[in-house]
Amino acid sequence: MKKLIILAFMFMSVVGQSQNFKFGKISKEELKETSHPNYPEANAVVLFKKQYTSFPFSEENGFEQETEYYERIKIYNKEGYDWATKRIELYNENSSMSQNLIGLKGYTYKLVNGKIEKSKLKNENIFKEDNNKYWSSKTFTMPGLAEGCIIEFEYKVKSTFLSIDDVVLQYDIPIKKIEIDIITPEYFNYNKFVSPRASFLPKIEESKKDRKETVVSKVRTGFYVPKSTVNSSSFVFKENVVKIYMEDLPALVDEPFTDNIDNYRAKVAFEYAFYKGPDGTIKNYATNWDKVISNIYNNEDFGGQLSKSNYFEDDVNNLIKTVATDSEKIQLIFDFVKTKIKKNDFIGYTSENGVKNAYKDGSGNTADINLMLIAMLRYAKIKANPVLLSTRNNGVPLFPTRTGFNYVVCAVETQDQLLLLDATEQHTKPNILPVKAINWQGRLIREDGTSTWVSLNPKSTSKKVVSISINLDENLSAKGKIRQFFTNYQAYNYRKNFYNKSKEDLIAYKERENPGLVVIELDTKNVKSKTKPVSETYDFTFEEAAEKIGDNIYVSPLLFLNKEENPFTQDVRGYPIDFIYPTSEKQTVTIIIPEGYKVESLPESTKLNFNDTSASFSYLIKQTGNTIQLSKNLEIIKTIILPESYSDFKSFYQFMVEKNLEKIVLKKI
Amino acid sequence: MLFFSVNVFSQDSYQAIVLNPDLQSNANAIVRSSTIDVSIEARDKIVITEQRVVTVLNERGQRHVGAVVYYDQSKSIKTLEAVVFNAFGKEIKKFKKKDFIDVSVADGVSIFTDNRARYIDYTPVSYPYTVVFNLEVISSNTAFIPQWFPIDDYYLSVEKASYKIQNQTDIPLDFKASNLEAFKIEKMSDYNYQANNLSAIKREAYSPSFYSVAPSVKFALKQFSMLGVEGDNNSWSDFGKWMSDKLIDGTQELPEIVKVEIKALTQNAKTDLEKAKIVYQFMQNKTRYISVQVGIGGWKPMLASDVDRLGYGDCKGLSNYTKALLDEVGVTSFYTIVYGGQDVRSIDASFSSLQGNHAILSIPDNNGYITLECTSQSTPFGYNANFTDDRDVLIVTPSGGEIVHTKVYSTNENSQVINSNIILDSLGGFKAKLNITSKGTQYDKYRRIEVQTEKENKLYYKDNFSDINNLQVNNMLFNNDKDNIVFKEDLDLQVDKYVTKAGDRWLMQPNFFNKFKTAPPRYKNRKLPFEIDRGFVDEDQYQITLPENVKVEALQDDVVIKNKFGEYHYSIKQTDDKNLVFKRKIIINKGQFSKEDYSAFRKFRLAIVKHDKSKIVLTTTN
C-alpha cells in the first residue's frame, strides 16, 4: 500500500512540472504558439489526450463500463479546423445492450487583444442522428474557432458491454502527450496487445489496488407479521490498473503501395479473456488461437451452418452425377455457388441469416456463401475446410480474438496442394482470392476442430506475355499485331476490368489511353472461361511509332506498351511496398525494317537483378536480316520491398524505365 | 405461361428476355414504364403517385432502379412497395413499406441534416431482373412540384413514360417543356405527356450537360406554400420578393458590438469596394463552413447573429451574415441563388421556380456583379472561377428577384506563363529554374498547393511532370497575390537523366514542362454536339544551355496551327553554339460546336500531343 502511494505521488509531481492539463487551465503561451516546434507542417496537434476507463457498480445493473475522455487540441491554421468536429458512434439495441454519451462539455479558447476569450460548446453545436436501427451518432462542432485557438472537450461513454475499444495512440496529427488509465475489477480479465509493426511503443505500467462496494438489500422477514429489514453488506476486491503513457508522437502519414497504414499505427488492444467469479470459478472467452477457434467453430452461426445439407442435396446430386474426378466436382460446385448466391453488402465470418435462407433468397454475406460452399464440397466427399482470416482493411490481428477475423474462405486439401476458394466474387478461381482477402495468414479449421495457420500469399506467378509484330511503312506509321496472354491475377484483373465491356468499349479504352493508336480488329478469348488464361489479340496502326528527325528515324520498339514513368517517386519510405503476388511480364517484339533503310544503332542488351533474385529485368535485342527482335522480361518474385531496400529498388525500376525509353535508329540507305 | 397475379401490374408481363433490341443498345437499364400522376389538391397539399418499372441489364444499371423515396417532415408516405421479378417474369422478392430501410441522408458534407430516405436493399442474383416500384406521397410543400425527366441519365433507355398533373385548385399552374421534339414526345395537353421508345444516350467527351440535351417538363404553382410559409410566383420578381420577405427578412440583425467593430474597421476606407474587401476578410477570418441542412426545407438562412456567435454556418448562413455586415457599412449586396459546380448550369431565366443548390452574394459593380463566395476562408475577394462563373443566377432584392449573369472568365484572362532557364549536363540530366505565373481559372491551383505539406507538394510536382523520371524538387517558393489574383510558383528542379539514348545520340524533348498527353476519344459516329466551357492560354519559353561535349544534330521545324478551336505554336531555335530557345503557345477557345466539328477538334488535339513530345537530336563527342 505504501508503495502505491509513493508511485502516485511521483506521478503527481511529474504532471506538476509540465503543462497544466486541468480542464480550463489554458495558458497564454499555448495560445501564442503558431506552429509545432518539431513538426512545423502540422495543422493541429493534440496537446493532451486522457482516457479513464473504469467499471462503476450499481445494485440495479452490476458493473458497467464507463470511459471518460478528455482532449485538448491546438489548431494552428484553417486546415486544422476539421479537428474541431468530432463524431461519436453509439450502439443501442436495448437497455442491456447500449452505449450512452453523457457529460459532454467543451470550450474554444483564443487570444483577443492579449486576453483569453472562450466560447462554450452548447446544445446547438451538438447534433444527434439515427443512422440506422442500432447505430446512432452524436456529432459536435466547436464554436468560435480562429487560427491558433485551442479547443478542449470532455465526455463520458457508458457502455453495458465488457469489451474495451482499442486505444489509439497515434493520429493523423502529432500528439504531445497521452495518458490512458484502464481500471478493471478482478472479475473481468483482459489480455493486452501492442501493435508490433508500429514505430512507436507506449510505456505501460501495471498495478493492483483495493476497492470496496456496498450492497443494500431489503429482506422480508417475520412469519405472522410481515416486516422488512434492510441489510447492508459490503464486498472487497482487487482492481487491475493499467496505465499507458506516450509523449511526442509524430503524425501517422499514409504512403502509396502500403498494405494498410493502420497496421503501423501505435495502439493497444484489449481482449476480454476470462471471467473469474468471486467463488474462484473461471470462464474462459479467449486465451489462445485453438480456444478462439473452437469457440467460433462451436458457434451455431459458423460450425452449425457447415453441418446442414438437406436444403441443397438434390441440386448438388444433380450437378455432379455425371462427373467422376474431384477436380471436376470442385469446379462445378464452386461455379454453382457463385451463380446461385450473390454477396450482399456485408462481410463477416458468421452467417447472417443462415445458409438455408441465403440459398433460398440467392443472397448472403461472405460467410453464408463460403460456408455453404464448404458444406456442399464436403457432401460431395471433398476434403473442404474453412479458413478464417482478416481482410486487408481489418489489418493483421494483434492477438487471438474472435474479432481479429472478419472473413472466411474455403480450403480444399488435395494430395499435393492446398486450394483456397472464395465464391463471393465472380472472377475468383481456385487459389485466386480477392486481393482484400490476401492478408498474411489464415487459420484453417479441420472437421475435428483442430486448426493450423496457412499462408494466404499467392505462390504462383501471375504472368502477362505479350508478343508484338510491327511493320513500318514509308510514312513511318506502324501496322502490326499484338497478342497478350494473362494468367492468375493478371487474368483476374483483366476480367474485373473488362468482363462486361463490349469490343467497342475495349477499343475505345485502348485508343483513349494511347493517342495516335487506331485498333482495327480486336478479339478476346476465355474472358468468360472458368479455367483458362485470358488472351487478347488485335491489329492496329500507330502513327507515333517512329519519328523522323534530321536524316534519321527513331523507333520506340515497345510502341505504346511502354512503361515510361517510374511510379516510385518518393525519396524515402517509412513503410514497406506490397506487390501482393509475384508477377512476370514478358514482351517479345519483332520489327520489320522498311525497304531502303538500315539499322544505324540498337540499344544495348542488358540484364539486372535486384537483391539477388528478388526481382530481375532483362532486355535482349538483336538484328537478323531485315528484322529486329527484342525480348524483354520483368519478374518480381519477392512481393514485399522493405523501406531499407526502397532506394535500391527505386534505382532498379528507374534503370528499367530508362532502358525501355531507348530508341532504335534507322538510316536511309 | 409465366404470368403473375399481382393486380397492380395487370396489363403487361415483365419478362426481360423479350426486350426490344433497340432499347438494349448502350443501355445498362431500361425503364419499361414510368407513370407519374400528380394531383394538386390545395395550396398546401399535393399528392404524387408513381409507378416505375425498371429492367436492370447489368451491374451498372442498378442505380436506375429508383426504388427510393427522399422525405422530410413535409412529406407523408402513403404507399411504398417494390416487387422484384427475374428474367422470366417470375416474382422473386417482395418489399413492403416496413422492408424499406430508413436512413438519414448523410451527404458526407453536412454534419447534420433532417432529410431522410427509404430504400430497398436488394442484391441481384442474376441479370436481367425487373423491379416494380409503387409510391404515393402527400406533401405540404408545393414550392417543389416534381419535374418530368422521362430519361434521367446516360446509358438508360425508356420503353414508356408518362406524366400527368391535375390541378384541383383554381391557382394557375405554369409549365415549361424542353427538348420534347427531338425525342418525339407526345404532348396530349399542357399537363399530360407521354414518351415511347427512347434509346439510351451514350456519354461522349465534351458533351453539353445532360440536363440541357434531355427532354424535360417543369411545373410551378403560382401561389405555393413551403412548410406553412406561403408565397406568390408569377415571375422571378415575385419569387425573389417571397424569398426576401419570408426567408431572409428579419434574419440579419447583428449584435451591437459587431456593428461597432465593423464600422471601426471600415471607417478609413474610401470606396464601397474597399469597404467590401475589409468586410469579406473579416468574415473569412471569423467563420468557417459547416453544412447544417435545416430550416424551412433547407432554404432559410441561419440568423446572422447566430453565425456571428458560433463562428460557422452553411452557404446560406454565411452569405446572409456577410450581407448583414455589408449593409451595416452601407454597401449594397444581394443574396443570390445559383447552381454551383464546375459544370456551367444556369437558373432557368424563363421559368420561375425553386431552383439552385448554393447561395452566394452579389455586389453590383459597374455593369456587372462581383461574386462573393462566402464558404471559403481562402478565396480572394470576387474570385468565382470554376464554380459559380458564367451563368444565370437569381439575385434577391427587397423589391423582388432578378436574373443576372455572373462574371465570365475570358480565354485571355485564364493564362499560365512558364519561363525557365535549363542547364543540361554532360550526362544528359538537367538543372532548371522555373517561374510559373497563373491567372483566371488557372489561378485556382493555389487551393491545392497552399494546403499541401512540403512533402505533398514535392509529390504533386513529380506527378505534374510525371514523364520526367527521377525528378528532384530542390526548392519551391510560392506567392499568392490575392489582391491581383495572381499565383506564382518558383521551382528549382533537377534530374539525373532526362534525354533518351539512341546509340551515341541523345534524343531530347525541348518541351520540358508543359505537355498535352491525351486527346479526346475517337467516335465512329458522334451523336452529341460538344462545348468547351472555359478557354485558356498557356505560354512557355525555355532558355536551354548545352554542356561542352554536346552538339546539335537536328532540330524540329516550326509549327503553327490556327483554327476555330484555338492555336498552337511550337518553335525551337539555336541562338549560338551552346544555347537554344524553345517557345510554345497554346490557346484553347471557349465555344459551342456541332458534332460534325468533333473530328477536326480531335485532330487538332492529336497534333498537339504529337508536337508536344517531339524531340531534337543531340550528339555527344566523348
Side-chain angles (χ1 to χ4, degrees):
Chain A
M1 202 56 208
K2 197 177 172 190
K3 201 174 162 192
L4 248 174
I5 291 166
I6 292 168
L7 258 177
F9 183 72
M10 279 169 62
F11 173 57
M12 290 293 288
S13 69
V14 172
V15 173
Q17 279 167 10
S18 63
Q19 275 165 301
N20 192 336
F21 291 121
K22 257 178 94 172
F23 198 96
K25 299 286 178 195
I26 306 288
S27 70
K28 282 190 185 170
E29 286 65 42
E30 286 174 290
L31 283 166
K32 275 181 191 155
E33 193 173 275
T34 52
S35 71
H36 195 288
N38 303 336
Y39 312 105
E41 298 207 315
N43 296 322
V45 55
V46 177
L47 295 173
F48 185 49
K49 175 183 171 176
K50 178 149 179 64
Q51 176 185 336
Y52 187 91
T53 298
S54 63
F55 287 79
F57 180 84
S58 74
E59 282 171 58
E60 274 164 83
N61 303 320
F63 289 103
E64 286 193 313
Q65 190 184 160
E66 185 179 291
T67 300
E68 294 168 37
Y69 295 92
Y70 167 84
E71 281 187 51
R72 182 185 292 186
I73 300 173
K74 164 86 184 177
I75 296 175
Y76 293 113
N77 55 41
K78 285 166 181 162
E79 279 74 57
Y81 280 9
D82 288 348
W83 291 91
T85 300
K86 193 165 176 93
R87 184 183 175 96
I88 301 147
E89 307 270 346
L90 299 163
Y91 189 84
N92 199 337
E93 189 170 339
N94 54 46
S95 62
S96 62
M97 292 173 83
S98 69
Q99 292 175 309
N100 265 309
L101 185 141
I102 52 172
L104 173 60
K105 76 173 188 184
Y107 285 93
T108 303
Y109 303 88
K110 58 192 169 202
L111 270 187
V112 180
N113 303 326
K115 276 193 195 139
I116 298 179
E117 204 179 274
K118 59 180 189 175
S119 324
K120 190 179 179 196
L121 176 69
K122 291 187 183 159
N123 259 333
E124 61 188 349
N125 313 120
I126 304 167
F127 305 91
K128 185 177 184 300
E129 220 169 317
D130 293 322
N131 303 318
N132 60 38
K133 211 163 138 196
Y134 299 130
W135 285 99
S136 67
S137 64
K138 271 202 178 152
T139 306
F140 61 89
T141 188
M142 301 300 299
L145 298 187
E147 293 192 334
C149 70
I150 289 175
I151 58 166
E152 178 180 54
F153 53 81
E154 64 177 24
Y155 57 89
K156 268 186 213 174
V157 174
K158 284 191 161 198
S159 166
T160 59
F161 300 99
L162 281 170
S163 68
I164 297 172
D165 288 345
D166 287 1
V167 177
V168 175
L169 301 170
Q170 206 175 8
Y171 284 173
D172 302 349
I173 52 173
I175 298 180
K176 216 164 195 175
K177 188 179 171 77
I178 196 161
E179 273 178 30
I180 313 288
D181 288 9
I182 310 278
I183 297 155
T184 51
E186 60 175 273
Y187 313 116
F188 312 121
N189 291 274
Y190 297 81
N191 296 328
K192 65 181 177 312
F193 300 88
V194 175
S195 164
R197 294 203 207 169
S199 316
F200 300 90
L201 296 178
K203 222 188 302 170
I204 300 181
E205 282 173 17
E206 290 183 72
S207 60
K208 287 191 190 303
K209 68 175 183 186
D210 289 322
R211 181 170 154 193
K212 183 174 155 185
E213 286 293 339
T214 305
V215 183
V216 181
S217 56
K218 277 187 184 168
V219 183
R220 281 167 79 104
T221 53
F223 194 70
Y224 297 104
V225 185
K227 59 174 181 178
S228 56
T229 58
V230 176
N231 279 346
S232 162
S233 65
S234 59
F235 60 109
V236 177
F237 55 97
K238 292 248 184 270
E239 284 195 304
N240 297 315
V241 179
V242 177
K243 285 180 180 288
I244 304 167
Y245 313 99
M246 279 185 102
E247 274 182 29
D248 278 328
L249 279 132
L252 184 75
V253 182
D254 202 359
E255 296 183 338
F257 312 103
T258 306
D259 51 349
N260 175 357
I261 193 69
D262 267 335
N263 286 336
Y264 306 93
R265 194 183 293 277
K267 68 176 174 192
V268 182
F270 287 83
E271 180 201 16
Y272 184 44
F274 64 93
Y275 172 80
K276 195 176 104 193
D279 56 353
T281 52
I282 285 182
K283 182 154 192 231
N284 275 316
Y285 287 88
T287 42
N288 62 38
W289 282 113
D290 283 329
K291 283 193 182 141
V292 171
I293 297 301
S294 86
N295 239 321
I296 294 174
Y297 201 56
N298 292 329
N299 183 339
E300 169 59 25
D301 290 334
F302 187 84
Q305 304 299 313
L306 291 171
S307 54
K308 297 189 171 81
S309 67
N310 54 341
Y311 63 97
F312 62 68
E313 281 177 7
D314 290 347
D315 290 339
V316 172
N317 285 339
N318 238 331
L319 189 70
I320 57 172
K321 67 183 170 202
T322 57
V323 296
T325 69
D326 281 359
S327 62
E328 281 172 300
K329 285 185 198 166
I330 294 168
Q331 192 68 49
L332 277 173
I333 292 173
F334 184 54
D335 292 330
F336 175 70
V337 174
K338 275 207 236 172
T339 45
K340 178 88 184 153
I341 307 107
K342 293 289 184 281
K343 195 179 91 62
N344 58 24
D345 292 338
F346 301 98
I347 65 168
Y349 67 76
T350 53
S351 172
E352 201 192 352
N353 295 319
V355 283
K356 260 189 195 170
N357 284 327
Y359 194 76
K360 199 179 92 215
D361 293 348
S363 122
N365 70 356
T366 45
D368 289 328
I369 296 169
N370 285 333
L371 294 178
M372 184 187 309
L373 171 68
I374 296 160
M376 287 182 185
L377 288 170
R378 283 181 178 175
Y379 177 77
K381 304 278 186 297
I382 308 282
K383 203 173 157 197
N385 291 306
V387 173
L388 287 167
L389 60 89
S390 167
T391 57
R392 286 182 165 248
N393 277 338
N394 203 42
V396 171
L398 290 183
F399 55 84
T401 164
R402 297 159 63 102
T403 52
F405 296 120
N406 69 336
Y407 203 86
V408 60
V409 297
C410 162
V412 172
E413 286 174 278
T414 66
Q415 281 163 342
D416 48 354
Q417 64 168 337
L418 186 77
L419 289 179
L420 295 170
L421 302 168
D422 182 344
T424 63
E425 269 191 27
Q426 193 178 8
H427 304 298
T428 55
K429 309 265 139 140
N431 277 345
I432 302 291
L433 298 178
V435 168
K436 64 171 181 259
I438 307 172
N439 191 15
W440 191 33
Q441 56 181 6
R443 190 83 177 181
L444 184 143
I445 316 171
R446 300 210 172 77
E447 272 192 274
D448 60 8
T450 62
S451 62
T452 179
W453 291 113
V454 292
S455 167
L456 299 169
N457 294 327
K459 280 168 208 69
S460 46
T461 305
S462 297
K463 289 184 189 159
K464 179 175 169 186
V465 182
V466 186
S467 61
I468 316 168
S469 59
I470 305 169
N471 269 299
L472 283 177
D473 66 16
E474 308 84 59
N475 302 326
L476 303 180
S477 113
K479 274 202 170 74
K481 197 180 195 73
I482 293 183
R483 280 175 228 274
Q484 313 199 65
F485 289 91
F486 304 86
T487 74
N488 297 336
Y489 278 95
Q490 298 271 12
Y492 170 77
N493 291 336
Y494 187 96
R495 289 185 171 108
K496 268 190 100 157
N497 292 331
F498 303 119
Y499 186 82
N500 277 324
K501 294 248 163 43
S502 66
K503 239 177 228 183
E504 289 70 40
D505 287 347
L506 252 172
I507 290 173
Y509 170 78
K510 287 187 190 299
E511 291 185 347
R512 196 170 55 238
E513 294 292 295
N514 307 291
L517 174 72
V518 175
V519 176
I520 298 158
E521 192 67 59
L522 182 139
D523 197 25
T524 57
K525 280 209 182 79
N526 302 327
V527 177
K528 306 205 166 167
S529 160
K530 291 166 178 97
T531 49
K532 292 180 185 145
V534 172
S535 87
E536 180 191 83
T537 312
Y538 57 95
D539 294 334
F540 65 89
T541 64
F542 185 58
E543 285 175 26
E544 311 291 313
E547 218 178 328
K548 187 175 189 319
I549 316 171
D551 296 331
N552 297 330
I553 293 176
Y554 300 84
V555 184
S556 303
L558 294 161
L559 301 179
F560 46 88
L561 295 175
N562 214 346
K563 281 200 176 83
E564 291 187 354
E565 293 176 7
N566 187 346
F568 304 104
T569 52
Q570 285 171 290
D571 296 330
V572 287
R573 275 187 75 91
Y575 312 109
I577 295 171
D578 185 358
F579 280 106
I580 306 163
Y581 44 83
T583 54
S584 140
E585 287 182 25
K586 192 176 163 72
Q587 287 154 327
T588 326
V589 186
T590 312
I591 301 171
I592 313 270
I593 304 166
E595 291 270 319
Y597 285 90
K598 64 167 190 176
V599 173
E600 165 94 357
S601 72
L602 289 180
E604 274 173 44
S605 294
T606 186
K607 194 169 164 41
L608 185 71
N609 287 351
F610 163 71
N611 269 3
D612 276 342
T613 53
S614 297
S616 71
F617 169 69
S618 67
Y619 185 103
L620 303 168
I621 189 162
K622 62 169 191 219
Q623 181 192 357
T624 355
N626 69 338
T627 61
I628 299 167
Q629 279 212 309
L630 165 66
S631 159
K632 201 187 90 148
N633 197 6
L634 167 69
E635 294 203 36
I636 293 174
I637 295 147
K638 287 243 169 71
T639 55
I640 302 280
I641 312 288
L642 296 172
E644 302 85 279
S645 316
Y646 172 69
S647 137
D648 287 348
F649 184 75
K650 189 180 166 187
S651 308
F652 166 79
Y653 215 90
Q654 183 59 27
F655 177 84
M656 178 182 82
V657 168
E658 281 172 14
K659 196 73 207 170
N660 288 345
L661 284 168
E662 288 190 17
K663 310 276 177 193
I664 297 166
V665 186
L666 302 178
K667 200 178 181 67
K668 212 157 197 159
I669 302 168
Chain B
M1 179 80 183
L2 294 163
F3 208 71
F4 43 88
S5 60
V6 188
N7 51 13
V8 282
F9 337 110
S10 48
Q11 80 276 43
D12 220 333
S13 149
Y14 292 112
Q15 288 187 35
I17 44 173
V18 289
L19 291 172
N20 176 351
D22 283 349
L23 293 177
Q24 288 198 53
S25 99
N26 289 327
N28 294 326
I30 304 173
V31 176
R32 309 297 299 279
S33 80
S34 155
T35 315
I36 301 173
D37 286 313
V38 178
S39 168
I40 301 166
E41 307 201 333
R43 186 173 184 165
D44 62 355
K45 187 179 179 194
I46 173 168
V47 181
I48 301 151
T49 316
E50 180 182 353
Q51 189 191 77
R52 184 178 168 94
V53 184
V54 175
T55 295
V56 178
L57 301 177
N58 59 45
E59 203 180 326
R60 277 163 295 163
Q62 281 192 70
R63 56 201 218 89
H64 301 300
V65 167
V68 58
V69 56
Y70 295 95
Y71 70 100
D72 58 18
Q73 76 259 40
S74 71
K75 270 188 191 170
S76 85
I77 301 166
K78 293 294 164 203
T79 307
L80 184 64
E81 59 184 29
V83 187
V84 184
F85 299 89
N86 71 7
F88 307 101
K90 183 175 168 236
E91 180 181 325
I92 45 178
K93 184 129 189 160
K94 199 166 182 169
F95 292 87
K96 297 205 184 93
K97 189 171 175 181
K98 65 169 171 40
D99 303 323
F100 279 68
I101 296 166
D102 189 356
V103 289
S104 156
V105 185
D107 51 16
V109 183
S110 308
I111 58 169
F112 182 76
T113 141
D114 59 3
N115 294 329
R116 300 190 68 84
R118 299 189 70 167
Y119 70 101
I120 59 170
D121 181 23
Y122 174 69
T123 310
V125 188
S126 61
Y127 300 96
Y129 69 94
T130 301
V131 179
V132 177
F133 173 62
N134 278 298
L135 173 70
E136 188 189 350
V137 293
I138 299 176
S139 174
S140 63
N141 181 352
T142 52
F144 283 110
I145 292 178
Q147 301 184 17
W148 190 50
F149 274 103
I151 183 163
D152 58 16
D153 206 347
Y154 291 108
Y155 304 110
L156 175 70
S157 62
V158 177
E159 194 171 331
K160 196 187 285 175
S162 71
Y163 186 104
K164 196 162 76 192
I165 186 161
Q166 281 172 300
N167 184 4
Q168 322 271 14
T169 68
D170 44 20
I171 306 168
L173 179 67
D174 204 0
F175 76 98
K176 185 186 175 185
S178 312
N179 302 324
L180 296 192
E181 305 74 31
F183 292 84
K184 299 200 177 75
I185 285 166
E186 240 178 294
K187 179 174 171 181
M188 338 281 245
S189 77
D190 288 353
Y191 304 120
N192 188 358
Y193 300 83
Q194 193 165 322
N196 287 301
N197 296 320
L198 307 180
S199 306
I201 305 172
K202 199 173 161 179
R203 189 190 292 275
E204 292 170 327
Y206 298 99
S207 314
S209 83
F210 186 84
Y211 293 108
S212 68
V213 294
S216 71
V217 189
K218 285 183 261 195
F219 299 90
L221 205 55
K222 300 231 164 167
Q223 289 151 20
F224 61 88
S225 169
M226 188 197 256
L227 285 103
V229 183
E230 298 199 330
D232 286 335
N233 175 28
N234 294 306
S235 62
W236 275 120
S237 175
D238 270 6
F239 197 81
K241 179 95 177 98
W242 172 76
M243 290 192 110
S244 177
D245 292 350
K246 299 290 173 65
L247 300 183
I248 295 163
D249 202 37
T251 60
Q252 291 174 342
E253 194 55 39
L254 288 170
E256 257 341 289
I257 182 164
V258 183
K259 290 185 185 174
V260 173
E261 191 178 356
I262 198 69
K263 276 193 179 131
L265 282 171
T266 52
Q267 65 182 353
N268 295 325
K270 289 180 191 70
T271 63
D272 277 2
L273 216 57
E274 268 179 61
K275 285 184 188 171
K277 280 186 181 176
I278 293 168
V279 166
Y280 187 63
Q281 196 178 1
F282 175 82
M283 181 280 298
Q284 285 187 315
N285 287 341
K286 184 151 177 165
T287 62
R288 72 195 145 117
Y289 172 72
I290 288 223
S291 171
V292 184
Q293 302 293 342
V294 287
I296 303 175
W299 284 85
K300 190 176 173 71
M302 281 161 74
L303 297 178
S305 55
D306 280 349
V307 174
D308 186 76
R309 191 166 44 83
L310 299 168
Y312 62 76
D314 67 356
C315 59
K316 302 181 293 289
L318 293 169
S319 299
N320 192 45
Y321 174 60
T322 312
K323 178 172 162 47
L325 292 168
L326 287 170
D327 285 350
E328 198 54 43
V329 300
V331 177
T332 307
S333 66
F334 303 119
Y335 185 82
T336 305
I337 302 292
V338 58
Y339 281 108
Q342 171 100 32
D343 286 338
V344 174
R345 186 174 176 197
S346 278
I347 300 275
D348 187 345
S350 67
F351 190 78
S352 60
S353 64
L354 207 47
Q355 297 181 34
N357 59 9
H358 186 50
I360 50 177
L361 213 56
S362 302
I363 298 181
D365 178 54
N366 294 328
N367 297 321
Y369 290 88
I370 294 170
T371 295
L372 298 187
E373 173 62 56
C374 300
T375 60
S376 154
Q377 284 102 41
S378 65
T379 303
F381 181 82
Y383 184 70
N384 68 331
N386 304 322
F387 196 61
T388 55
D389 56 330
D390 191 14
R391 63 197 74 193
D392 288 343
V393 298
L394 171 69
I395 60 171
V396 177
T397 81
S399 59
E402 199 183 317
I403 301 289
V404 302
H405 201 81
T406 55
K407 177 176 164 59
V408 181
Y409 285 78
S410 70
T411 300
N412 283 327
E413 258 177 290
N414 307 326
S415 63
Q416 176 188 279
V417 177
I418 302 183
N419 278 302
S420 180
N421 275 310
I422 301 159
I423 298 170
L424 205 68
D425 66 35
S426 58
L427 299 169
F430 71 77
K431 282 190 172 142
K433 286 193 189 308
L434 277 83
N435 304 300
I436 309 174
T437 305
S438 308
K439 297 178 185 170
T441 52
Q442 305 217 56
Y443 167 86
D444 228 356
K445 66 173 79 161
Y446 85 93
R447 278 183 214 283
R448 179 170 180 177
I449 291 171
E450 279 199 336
V451 303
Q452 289 184 149
T453 62
E454 185 179 336
K455 194 176 162 190
E456 283 168 338
N457 271 332
K458 282 190 172 175
L459 288 174
Y460 161 78
Y461 286 112
K462 287 177 179 188
D463 193 44
N464 220 351
F465 306 121
S466 66
D467 57 315
I468 305 178
N469 282 301
N470 258 354
L471 181 78
Q472 262 175 272
V473 183
N474 292 335
N475 203 16
M476 304 174 288
L477 267 179
F478 307 115
N479 180 0
N480 184 359
D481 178 354
K482 284 195 177 186
D483 286 335
N484 297 306
I485 315 191
V486 177
F487 191 72
K488 286 193 176 155
E489 302 152 81
D490 285 341
L491 304 176
D492 221 344
L493 306 179
Q494 184 181 346
V495 171
D496 290 344
K497 195 165 172 221
Y498 176 68
V499 302
T500 4
K501 271 170 75 178
D504 293 334
R505 294 177 173 85
W506 286 356
L507 301 181
M508 186 184 85
Q509 302 182 1
N511 179 10
F512 282 66
F513 300 119
N514 196 4
K515 289 170 198 147
F516 265 42
K517 290 175 196 158
T518 57
R522 177 172 69 108
Y523 298 105
K524 276 195 184 127
N525 181 10
R526 180 157 180 130
K527 299 260 173 35
L528 298 169
F530 69 105
E531 58 188 42
I532 307 293
D533 282 344
R534 297 172 187 89
F536 65 88
V537 50
D538 276 9
E539 274 184 90
D540 302 271
Q541 180 159 344
Y542 312 147
Q543 200 74 51
I544 305 160
T545 308
L546 302 178
E548 282 304 319
N549 63 331
V550 170
K551 285 199 167 55
V552 173
E553 181 181 299
L555 295 173
Q556 292 280 351
D557 294 338
D558 285 0
V559 180
V560 177
I561 307 171
K562 286 186 186 179
N563 54 37
K564 61 174 149 182
F565 312 112
E567 289 179 29
Y568 182 76
H569 304 258
Y570 176 109
S571 132
I572 174 82
K573 290 273 184 290
Q574 192 163 9
T575 48
D576 61 44
D577 247 18
K578 291 286 156 236
N579 287 293
L580 302 169
V581 175
F582 171 74
K583 287 183 188 168
R584 173 182 179 271
K585 184 174 182 183
I586 189 166
I587 299 174
I588 299 290
N589 291 331
K590 169 186 153 116
Q592 292 175 324
F593 306 97
S594 70
K595 64 179 181 185
E596 287 76 20
D597 278 336
Y598 181 77
S599 70
F601 174 66
R602 180 168 179 270
K603 235 173 111 187
F604 174 53
R605 295 283 307 271
L606 273 173
I608 295 173
V609 171
K610 182 180 162 187
H611 293 303
D612 268 354
K613 65 176 183 192
S614 64
K615 301 164 195 79
I616 62 170
V617 185
L618 305 174
T619 53
T620 51
T621 51
N622 52 339

